[in-house]
Amino acid sequence: MNPLDPILVWWTTAKDALRVTSRVLRKRTEGATPPGLIKDAYVFFDMQEDQGLDRIDAAKRELDGLVVLALVATFERSLREHVLDTVRGRFPPGNVFLDSVRGQIENDVEFWHFSVELIEAFASVAQATRDGAKQLVKFRDWVAHARHAAAPPDPPPVSAEPQMAYRRLTQFLMEAGITNEMEPGSA
Amino acid sequence: MVVEISPELEKEAELADLAKKNDGVLNDEIGLTATHARWDLKRDSRNRQLLVLNLRDSLRGEAHGDFVPVELTSEPHLRARLHDLKGAMLLVSAWRGRVDQLFQEMRPWIMEAIPDAAIQDRSTLLIERASGPYEMPAMTIFTQGKAIDIEPVACWVVGADGRVDVRGPMGDDAVLLAQAEKWYWLDQHAVDRLQPLTKDLFKSVLQSLRQ
């Protein structure tokens, strides 16, 4: 199973929910929605169409950034787990010395630098694939820490589109032997 | 290459001298590529003085880099920054060429898909980390009181050599990505389903965006 798939599912759902809401706002302007469809508890109740659509556009942009952040975070965890599983397989429990060595390695792996050490540990993965993953780590860092920190906000180091991010990271996981699946229907 | 110092920077003699002292390095790294370089002065959000280097070439490439004054005191560091800035300028130039070509190709497709369309040419400001801010051509298609915007979004894109968005009144975005000198449409309903952009595909995208 590709550990990135569930993220893609919630992102697609959330994105479509925003699309549907955009359509409802437009139809309300045309008077084509039943009364009470947008209840007074909803943020859109008092909003003009333009204002509501602007808010949805802003939410979409945030969502696209957050989905890449979620993809990269899950990708990182998958790599660490894969390294840990490999180590556990090589050092089966039962020997006091080997148990101790395994414990030390397990602790160390959690502190490996994501881009410099963890990604590079997968030396069998093509360099271009590793570089692509590192670009996404930079984008993740920007989403998580930098984008609203400066005034005016810092531009991203590189632009990342969620579907392309999914593709890049899945490619890495496939080359590393962690998954052999791409979402059904993908190219 | 013409190297200019802005009047604002000239007023700060120490900083202006720092820029002038590096004329040789600047010419060495960029001289043959850029046609025009201009040093300017600005303040950052914490009110610190920054030197801004604006580069332009004859092929409409441009790049703008902010430098903390101390960066101009280390030649190896300055050379590395200038090298990156030159690369950014060349990429912006190539990116402009690709977008120009795309727009040129799209015009007859638009008129075929929407015969009553009025196309307004305009520009849009892109701000990218590698190049700084630069303007790119953009288009708005007006049809029956509705507008469809076609705008470049970024040159530096993971997995592509540039991205152009198409936004219509129904709010469904179409993303066009450049890869290896060709344009692709990113199907929003399938992961990484990149379809080569053709006239028929673009016409159907336009139809779905306006309805």
Side-chain angles (χ1 to χ4, degrees), chain B residues 7-199:
Chain B
E8 292 74 21
L9 181 56
E10 285 286 13
K11 286 179 200 162
E12 300 287 334
E14 210 174 306
L15 292 177
D17 281 349
L18 200 53
K20 287 172 191 169
K21 270 183 200 160
N22 282 294
D23 259 9
V25 178
L26 185 60
N27 265 297
D28 200 21
E29 285 294 330
I30 297 178
L32 293 174
T33 323
T35 53
H36 190 262
R38 178 186 163 97
W39 285 104
D40 212 337
L41 185 68
K42 79 169 193 187
R43 287 182 184 276
D44 68 8
S45 56
R46 285 191 270 168
N47 209 29
R48 293 175 303 187
Q49 286 180 315
L50 297 177
L51 289 119
V52 184
L53 179 61
N54 303 287
L55 296 175
R56 286 179 203 284
D57 70 9
S58 55
L59 299 169
R60 296 187 305 143
E62 62 179 291
H64 312 270
D66 295 348
F67 293 78
V68 178
V70 72
E71 288 187 280
L72 274 71
T73 62
S74 161
E75 189 179 317
H77 174 81
L78 180 61
R79 282 188 185 277
R81 289 268 341 252
L82 292 174
H83 180 79
D84 289 348
L85 214 51
K86 179 173 79 173
M89 179 182 67
L90 293 173
L91 267 178
V92 167
S93 168
W95 168 228
R96 279 211 166 109
R98 269 200 298 272
V99 171
D100 281 348
Q101 209 173 3
L102 175 72
F103 282 10
Q104 214 172 350
E105 212 165 1
M106 276 177 170
R107 282 173 200 281
W109 298 353
I110 294 167
M111 296 316 294
E112 209 174 299
I114 314 169
D116 69 345
I119 301 174
Q120 183 190 60
D121 290 298
R122 54 186 181 83
S123 63
T124 184
L125 182 70
L126 270 58
I127 303 175
E128 300 205 69
R129 179 86 57 89
S131 64
Y134 61 97
E135 291 208 338
M136 286 288 285
M139 285 197 282
T140 301
I141 305 164
F142 294 99
T143 170
Q144 295 172 354
K146 294 173 180 173
I148 298 171
D149 290 310
I150 306 178
E151 279 188 352
V153 173
C155 171
W156 282 266
V157 181
V158 174
D161 306 318
R163 168 179 169 174
V164 169
D165 281 4
V166 187
R167 277 180 235 106
M170 290 320 293
D172 287 341
D173 298 342
V175 176
L176 309 177
L177 295 173
Q179 272 188 351
E181 306 289 317
K182 288 184 181 160
W183 286 95
Y184 295 84
W185 175 60
L186 183 64
D187 189 336
Q188 301 277 316
H189 303 290
V191 175
D192 192 34
R193 183 161 285 171
L194 288 176
Q195 297 188 29
L197 188 68
T198 61
K199 179 171 79 172

Side-chain angles (χ1 to χ4, degrees), chain A:
Chain A
M1 184 207 159
N2 184 346
L4 306 179
D5 281 353
I7 298 167
L8 213 68
V9 170
W10 70 246
W11 172 65
T12 310
T13 307
K15 197 175 58 164
D16 279 358
L18 293 173
R19 280 180 174 163
V20 170
T21 310
S22 299
R23 283 176 180 254
V24 169
L25 290 181
R26 289 191 180 92
K27 294 289 177 193
R28 181 177 67 172
T29 308
E30 293 167 16
T33 53
L37 183 66
I38 300 178
K39 297 180 187 298
D40 59 4
Y42 301 169
V43 291
F44 300 109
F45 182 73
D46 284 329
M47 277 185 202
Q48 294 298 307
E49 180 186 320
D50 282 353
Q51 194 190 358
L53 295 178
D54 286 347
R55 289 274 287 266
I56 289 172
D57 279 346
K60 268 192 211 164
R61 282 194 296 275
E62 292 292 324
L63 182 69
D64 282 358
L66 291 174
V67 76
V68 176
L69 187 148
L71 286 167
V72 175
T74 302
F75 169 75
E76 178 180 6
R77 194 64 241 162
S78 301
L79 296 196
R80 290 196 199 279
E81 287 300 326
H82 185 73
V83 173
L84 289 171
D85 286 348
T86 306
V87 169
R88 286 171 193 139
R90 298 289 161 90
F91 295 88
N95 177 301
V96 176
F97 170 65
L98 292 182
D99 286 351
S100 169
V101 171
R102 190 187 61 242
Q104 294 275 9
I105 296 173
E106 283 176 348
N107 286 337
D108 283 352
V109 169
E110 293 296 342
F111 294 99
W112 283 4
H113 187 278
F114 190 7
S115 283
V116 178
E117 293 167 321
L118 184 60
I119 287 177
E120 284 304 309
F122 289 82
S124 60
V125 172
Q127 187 64 55
T129 311
R130 278 182 273 154
D131 290 345
K134 287 180 190 177
Q135 282 187 319
L136 288 164
V137 174
K138 282 186 186 168
F139 182 82
R140 186 276 313 257
D141 291 345
W142 173 79
V143 171
H145 306 297
R147 61 181 165 162
H148 297 309
D154 267 340
V158 63
S159 172
E161 204 285 326
Q163 286 161 286
M164 295 301 281
Y166 169 89
R167 169 73 179 127
R168 282 271 157 149
L169 297 177
T170 299
Q171 179 66 31
F172 190 115
L173 296 177
M174 288 167 71
E175 287 183 34
I178 297 173
T179 185
N180 54 10
E181 289 177 49
M182 190 77 78
E183 190 215 42
S186 64

